[in-house]
Amino acid sequence: MAKTNLIAGLDIGSGKITCVAAAHDFETNTLKVLAGRSVPCRGLKGGMVTDIRETSAAVMHVLGGIERECNQEIGGLYVGVRGAHLESFSNHGTYNISRMDKEITRADMALAIENAKAMPIKNDNEIVDVITQGFSIDKQKGINNPEGMEGSLLEVDVHITTGSSTHLNNLAKAIQRPGYKIDRIFYGLVPLADTVLTPEEKDRGAMIIDFGGETMSVGIYIEGILKFARDIPYGCDLITKDLSFGLHTSRQNAKEIKEKYGVSFPTFLDEEGEIPVLSLDGRTTNNIKKSFMLEIIQPRVEELIEQVGVVLDSSGYRRCLDTGVVTGGGSLMPGITDHCINILGLKEVRRGAVQRDLITSDEEFFDAQYSTAMALTIYASENAEYDEYSGGSYEKGSSLFGKLGKWFKGVDIFGG
């Protein structure tokens, strides 16, 4: 199969791998989803590889299945990562233009960004993502694209995400073993927020919370740009674990019960009723009151959101926010938005999904489990014109974003 314009967004999630593949539909001039798959992966925990063989097998199952379904090879593979090893912060860079003509070029922009990236990071860490938040020319702020303009002093503000080289390299090896090449790695929260939050929410100040199974990702946007992001090493699988223990049933049964009957706020307990629960040995069935399930679920949900509150306090932006958007599989449980309002002190919280005007797809791929993978394909497609400068392919034996002779390595030059 020859290479095509098929773009695949691969979400390395909490104990599972999810992929959505899309291509440009020239008849409708839209990005169209052609296939998608999601499989559990025992080789992942909290978004980090714990078994390369298991992870490689899951990658091969997902990507190979998509290629067979589409009858074409994946032309671009964009990977979204998460995990507590990721750190995110902002920095400032400058570049003096000494030429006579003073006209700013892309090379000047690249040098300003490189200067912003030149800061100490932890040992065994490397840069995953760099997003520009705006340029200034001779102290004039608010410039999105200074190319072609004149000035003597070019400044740039960037948001940088770093991650453990060990974890990133192990992930790259797991994906390479079946023969796939990574075109670029993103911090998964960035494209997700870009496709879930509205421009007005970003401008007003909004918080996005991605409720995953083993991690929760938190991002804060102020005045249209990402100011803070952090992954929390806890997730909604803890609710499943509590239910499994409290109802004396298997994890799989507990997960199905949680998704079908679970509520986390008393007002969503529409009636008492009872729920049939298969015993741990799989031989008998017990009837459990819905209120008993609520007693198990509510304290754990409150604890998880309190952890989000701790992260929010550490960001220093609590007073700047009154809006929240929750996404991910855990956000679907009734009552989550109410707890966010009560515990985080937000005035308004809504459930967020990928905006439907950004991509054409069958309904099944708008499900919460595909949100990050879908966002990756959209984000990669919209930034394709900058491929000459943006993060390049991972090459075996080199650092993830080593200097390969191209400017803007790993940089979304008009991000935010």
Side-chain angles (χ1 to χ4, degrees):
M1 291 182 287
K3 288 259 183 180
T4 64
N5 69 339
L6 188 67
I7 297 173
L10 186 67
D11 175 23
I12 305 301
S14 302
K16 68 177 181 178
I17 290 176
T18 304
C19 184
V20 165
H24 187 74
D25 187 333
F26 293 98
E27 291 185 2
T28 60
N29 196 31
T30 59
L31 186 67
K32 184 176 181 179
V33 173
L34 302 182
R37 292 194 175 196
S38 182
V39 298
C41 179
R42 292 180 297 179
L44 291 171
K45 185 172 180 60
M48 295 182 286
V49 175
T50 57
D51 186 320
I52 284 183
R53 289 188 178 184
E54 287 278 359
T55 305
S56 291
V59 168
M60 185 167 58
H61 178 75
V62 169
L63 297 184
I66 283 177
E67 287 182 326
R68 289 190 296 272
E69 184 176 345
C70 297
N71 195 31
Q72 55 184 306
E73 193 173 282
I74 292 169
L77 179 59
Y78 300 88
V79 179
V81 296
R82 68 186 70 200
H85 69 100
L86 297 172
E87 295 185 350
S88 188
F89 44 86
S90 298
N91 202 30
H92 185 79
T94 63
Y95 180 67
N96 288 301
I97 299 168
S98 56
R99 300 185 306 273
M100 291 293 294
D101 61 10
K102 302 293 183 182
E103 183 174 317
I104 297 169
T105 65
R106 281 200 164 196
D108 298 325
M109 296 162 61
L111 288 168
I113 293 170
E114 286 296 322
N115 290 337
K117 290 165 63 177
M119 61 179 300
I121 60 176
K122 289 181 179 179
N123 291 335
D124 193 40
N125 270 27
E126 58 186 83
I127 292 175
V128 177
D129 252 335
V130 181
I131 303 173
T132 61
Q133 299 176 319
F135 290 89
S136 300
I137 299 177
D138 296 339
K139 303 300 181 181
Q140 179 188 342
K141 297 182 179 181
I143 297 172
N144 293 325
N145 180 8
E147 184 180 7
M149 301 175 69
E150 292 189 2
S152 298
L153 178 64
L154 179 64
E155 299 176 84
V156 63
D157 291 306
V158 300
H159 192 83
I160 300 173
T161 301
T162 65
S164 164
S165 297
T166 299
H167 292 308
L168 294 169
N169 287 334
N170 284 336
L171 174 60
K173 286 180 180 179
I175 295 172
Q176 285 177 330
R177 285 183 67 158
Y180 293 99
K181 180 173 71 74
I182 301 170
D183 285 88
R184 186 169 169 187
I185 289 184
F186 298 96
Y187 176 26
L189 182 67
V190 173
L192 180 63
D194 204 56
T195 53
V196 169
L197 295 179
T198 67
E200 184 176 353
E201 285 171 335
K202 290 181 181 179
D203 287 337
R204 286 182 52 189
M207 178 182 193
I208 180 171
I209 310 169
D210 180 18
F211 286 95
E214 295 174 352
T215 61
M216 297 184 293
S217 301
V218 178
I220 295 173
Y221 281 78
I222 305 291
E223 295 180 349
I225 57 180
L226 179 63
K227 291 289 189 179
F228 178 88
R230 185 70 51 82
D231 267 26
I232 302 171
Y234 310 103
C236 296
D237 282 355
L238 290 176
I239 302 172
T240 304
K241 182 179 179 181
D242 291 347
L243 284 173
S244 175
F245 181 81
L247 303 182
H248 302 285
T249 190
S250 68
R251 288 281 186 94
Q252 183 58 37
N253 287 336
K255 182 176 183 292
E256 293 173 0
I257 291 169
K258 178 185 73 173
E259 293 174 352
K260 187 174 182 179
Y261 301 105
V263 299
S264 64
F265 207 77
T267 55
F268 290 90
L269 198 64
D270 51 358
E271 56 184 23
E272 181 56 75
E274 292 186 337
I275 300 167
V277 178
L278 191 65
S279 64
L280 196 59
D281 61 11
R283 297 177 180 178
T284 58
T285 299
N286 301 310
N287 291 324
I288 303 296
K289 290 184 177 181
K290 290 183 179 179
S291 57
F292 180 67
M293 277 186 59
L294 176 64
E295 290 174 6
I296 297 173
I297 293 173
Q298 184 171 349
R300 179 63 78 179
V301 169
E302 290 173 348
E303 182 183 6
L304 290 173
I305 297 176
E306 284 168 0
Q307 289 297 316
V308 174
V310 171
V311 169
L312 178 57
D313 287 335
S314 72
S315 74
Y317 291 107
R318 180 182 280 272
R319 294 184 180 180
C320 304
L321 301 172
D322 62 4
T323 300
V325 176
V326 296
T327 186
S331 70
L332 299 178
M333 180 175 288
I336 289 288
T337 56
D338 299 79
H339 284 300
C340 288
I341 290 172
N342 291 345
I343 296 172
L344 302 178
L346 300 171
K347 292 182 179 178
E348 179 183 353
V349 178
R350 70 171 179 88
R351 286 188 181 87
V354 172
Q355 298 171 49
R356 291 173 180 261
D357 60 340
L358 298 176
I359 194 167
T360 301
S361 173
D362 291 340
E363 187 64 30
E364 65 176 302
F365 299 121
F366 283 107
D367 186 85
Q369 69 173 323
Y370 290 103
S371 292
T372 299
M374 185 93 85
L376 285 163
T377 62
I378 296 169
Y379 198 76
S381 174
E382 290 180 345
N383 290 279
E385 63 184 293
Y386 305 119
D387 280 350
E388 179 183 357
Y389 302 98
S390 61
S393 305
Y394 177 84
E395 299 293 341
K396 193 172 183 179
S398 66
S399 66
L400 188 60
F401 291 109
K403 295 182 179 178
L404 301 177
K406 294 182 182 179
W407 297 114
F408 296 172
K409 188 68 64 178
V411 177
D412 175 10
I413 61 175
F414 301 116

